[in-house]
Amino acid sequence: MDTVFRVATAGDEAAIRRLFVEMLRTIFHTQEVEGYPARYVGLFFTGGEDEILVAEQAGMVVGFLSLESHREGEPPFLYLDDFSVTAACRGQGIGSRLLDMAEEYAAALGLGEIHLHVERDNLGARRLYQRRSFGVLAEQGARLLLGKKL
């Protein structure tokens, strides 16, 4: 099935919220999770450097990756905040392509590093990031802070 990759629009908000809840349920192994706060996703559609990338199949959003530009410290970096591909579409290279796009976006912004957090017990995600040359920057309880120089 053909996958279209693009920058999200406000019309994608409901799908992004649905995928976020699916991601949390998968990570924490419970149905009892809370989604995004009411206005959070809309902050990505205000014309700043922060964006959400989406993957779409047959007109349906099946994956997303939110990107946050951080220029306040040294070095400045792109933070990959929330990242989800629906279970039925995993293993198709969607996550890898979204990561490629994030790296391209960081380079276009002049940001030389990418950072993200991953749950320590999310072994599938950790394998993906290891294949993509992310290293551990800090251990933070149940999560790891990973980073990659571009």
Side-chain angles (χ1 to χ4, degrees):
M1 179 172 291
D2 289 337
T3 305
V4 174
F5 296 90
R6 60 180 175 77
V7 175
T9 66
D12 298 315
E13 184 169 349
I16 291 166
R17 288 179 175 282
R18 176 185 48 79
L19 285 168
F20 179 68
V21 168
E22 180 182 334
M23 176 192 70
L24 292 177
R25 287 176 174 162
T26 300
I27 290 171
F28 298 115
H29 311 288
T30 180
Q31 296 295 305
E32 303 300 317
V33 298
E34 292 186 29
Y36 285 122
R39 293 186 177 93
Y40 178 75
V41 177
L43 297 174
F44 287 89
F45 308 126
T46 59
E49 289 183 339
D50 298 350
E51 290 190 345
I52 299 176
L53 306 174
V54 295
E56 186 179 298
Q57 290 182 349
M60 182 175 207
V61 174
V62 297
F64 82 97
L65 174 56
S66 59
L67 313 174
E68 299 174 358
S69 171
H70 288 269
R71 296 181 179 278
E72 63 278 356
E74 281 298 323
F77 61 93
L78 187 69
Y79 183 73
L80 309 185
D81 192 8
D82 296 319
F83 188 11
S84 179
V85 175
T86 193
C89 295
R90 292 183 192 142
Q92 298 178 16
I94 292 170
S96 291
R97 180 63 189 123
L98 289 169
L99 287 171
D100 288 343
M101 292 172 69
E103 290 182 16
E104 293 164 9
Y105 188 64
L109 292 177
L111 302 173
E113 291 190 18
I114 295 178
H115 296 179
L116 61 90
H117 281 95
V118 64
E119 297 298 318
R120 194 181 287 271
D121 66 355
N122 189 345
L123 300 180
R126 288 180 59 190
R127 281 192 296 273
L128 171 64
Y129 299 135
Q130 186 176 32
R131 283 193 311 267
R132 301 291 303 222
S133 301
F134 282 85
V136 176
L137 299 177
E139 296 187 21
Q140 300 174 331
R143 299 187 330 156
L144 301 172
L145 176 63
L146 303 182
K148 177 181 181 176
K149 291 184 189 297
L150 299 178

